[in-house]
Amino acid sequence: MRRRFLSVSFLVLTLSLASSLVPTAAQKLNGNGKNGASAASPVRLALPNKDGALRFAVIGDTGSGSSKQRDVGVMMARYREVFAFEFVLMMGDNMYGGESARDFQEKFEEPYQELLNAKVKFYASLGNHDQGLQVNYGHFNMNGKEYYRFKKGNVAFYALNSNYMDKKQVEWLQKELAQDTSEWKVCFFHHSPYSSAKKHGSDDQLREVVEPIFVKFGVNVVLTGHDHVYEKVKPQKGIYYFVSGAGGKLRSGDLKRSSTLTAKAYDRDLHFMLFEVVDDQMYFQTISRTGETIDSGVMARNRK
């Protein structure tokens, strides 16, 4: 379907850098005063923030190392002060260009240093710009695997490798979902089965493979990136789809305004997302680089 990563099971990526030597994104902000995520930016939470709820964040296509990516990191840290999300899901394209130790520092560790210092965990998926070696990078929590599952509370999360949806991965996904009794099932990966962006748009070939599986086994939410925009897709066959691919790069004006898929879309600035799961409801809020709420809402769990 797409390129296959070479085996990297015998390689280990050692990229530990002393956090005390790395300035945080906020420190860089205070140093130049020109960052979009200024101290005056508003923090306006549109989520219930209920005690005991599961809270997490979502970012996609982040690995540019740009000042605007750092803005997003600063704003995420500011929102976490009032909404203590536990972990972050990454939609792939975690690194653009080189992938040296210095690249990981500039394109990941520095932009999200405040979150890393607060012990927030990041769970990555692989994008088409990513090298397979990333599965061994400790901060991405992939544990050497191109696709994997983990569970938090009543929610199971499936990170997939949409670069190459081979038979082995499909069989693994079907087996895991078939025996999964979690109340919520969330899949996250890079390429979008549904997208209204002009550059890439919907990946029809991928959708033919994964959508029947999602429907059969009751997947509730699908999170993707690849297109450098935000889009909340109208529910498809009972499943909620989101495109969140502007965490580090933006493709302004890329959305098809006449698309019948779109429930809400935004392509004017970078963004990140916040989620909160309260029993049979999952709340979300999409926030721009400068703190503006782009979208928010709530999804009810399908009881398949």
Side-chain angles (χ1 to χ4, degrees):
M1 182 174 175
R2 292 188 179 85
R3 67 179 178 86
R4 177 64 174 164
F5 291 120
L6 296 175
S7 173
V8 295
S9 60
F10 63 95
L11 297 174
V12 177
L13 191 59
T14 306
L15 295 166
S16 300
L17 296 170
S19 60
S20 60
L21 299 179
V22 180
T24 68
Q27 288 170 334
K28 289 179 177 290
L29 161 64
N30 294 334
N32 59 37
K34 298 179 180 179
N35 201 308
S38 70
S41 299
V43 174
R44 296 172 179 162
L45 197 63
L47 301 166
N49 209 10
K50 185 177 180 180
D51 289 345
L54 179 67
R55 304 176 183 89
F56 61 96
V58 167
I59 51 177
D61 300 70
T62 52
S64 65
S66 68
S67 62
K68 290 186 176 181
Q69 181 195 358
R70 294 169 185 268
D71 291 350
V72 173
V74 169
M75 191 56 67
M76 291 176 72
R78 294 195 60 227
Y79 266 84
R80 191 176 183 275
E81 292 175 1
V82 297
F83 183 77
F85 54 86
E86 177 186 349
F87 57 95
V88 181
L89 306 181
M90 303 178 69
M91 303 300 106
D93 281 3
N94 314 306
M95 292 283 138
Y96 291 105
E99 296 196 8
S100 67
R102 182 60 183 167
D103 286 309
F104 276 82
Q105 180 182 351
E106 292 181 345
K107 301 170 187 177
F108 177 76
E109 295 179 20
E110 290 180 8
Y112 311 115
Q113 190 65 52
E114 290 182 67
L115 299 178
L116 293 170
N117 288 347
K119 308 302 181 183
V120 174
K121 294 187 75 171
F122 288 73
Y123 293 93
S125 59
L126 294 174
N128 57 292
H129 285 277
D130 296 321
Q131 295 181 19
L133 281 170
Q134 289 184 23
V135 301
N136 294 313
Y137 176 55
H139 282 312
F140 285 172
N141 290 290
M142 301 178 77
N143 298 314
K145 299 177 181 179
E146 295 179 9
Y147 47 91
Y148 58 97
R149 174 191 181 274
F150 67 96
K151 187 172 181 179
K152 299 284 187 178
N154 62 347
V155 187
F157 295 91
Y158 290 80
L160 305 180
N161 179 8
S162 59
N163 290 293
Y164 192 74
M165 191 62 62
D166 63 358
K167 181 180 179 182
K168 182 179 179 181
Q169 183 177 186
V170 169
E171 290 177 347
W172 170 87
L173 179 62
Q174 291 175 317
K175 180 180 178 180
E176 291 291 328
L177 284 171
Q179 63 190 10
D180 196 335
T181 59
S182 304
E183 293 181 359
W184 288 89
K185 300 170 186 176
V186 176
C187 292
F188 66 101
F189 47 93
H190 188 59
H191 302 86
S192 302
Y194 292 98
S195 170
S196 299
K198 302 172 188 174
K199 176 66 175 179
H200 299 297
S202 301
D203 190 325
D204 297 336
Q205 187 177 8
L206 176 65
R207 186 171 70 230
E208 289 177 4
V209 175
V210 298
E211 186 175 56
I213 300 172
F214 295 163
V215 172
K216 180 178 180 179
F217 295 109
V219 170
N220 308 92
V221 179
V222 175
L223 305 167
T224 64
H226 198 39
D227 279 310
H228 300 165
V229 299
Y230 167 74
E231 183 178 14
K232 176 179 65 182
V233 176
K234 294 176 183 177
Q236 302 293 316
K237 300 182 181 179
I239 300 172
Y240 298 97
Y241 289 84
F242 292 87
V243 178
S244 183
K249 283 193 173 185
L250 176 70
R251 193 167 285 119
S252 182
D254 192 46
L255 285 161
K256 301 174 185 175
R257 302 299 173 185
S258 60
S259 173
T260 59
L261 289 174
T262 304
K264 180 74 174 183
Y266 179 85
D267 60 0
R268 297 194 299 274
D269 204 348
L270 303 184
H271 73 272
F272 64 98
M273 299 186 72
L274 299 177
F275 285 83
E276 179 175 359
V277 182
V278 182
D279 298 324
D280 285 344
Q281 294 182 310
M282 183 179 292
Y283 298 82
F284 68 93
Q285 181 176 357
T286 308
I287 301 161
S288 78
R289 175 181 63 94
T290 58
E292 172 192 358
T293 295
I294 299 165
D295 192 15
S296 64
V298 60
M299 301 169 284
R301 179 171 70 90
N302 54 20
R303 293 179 173 272
K304 186 144 185 175

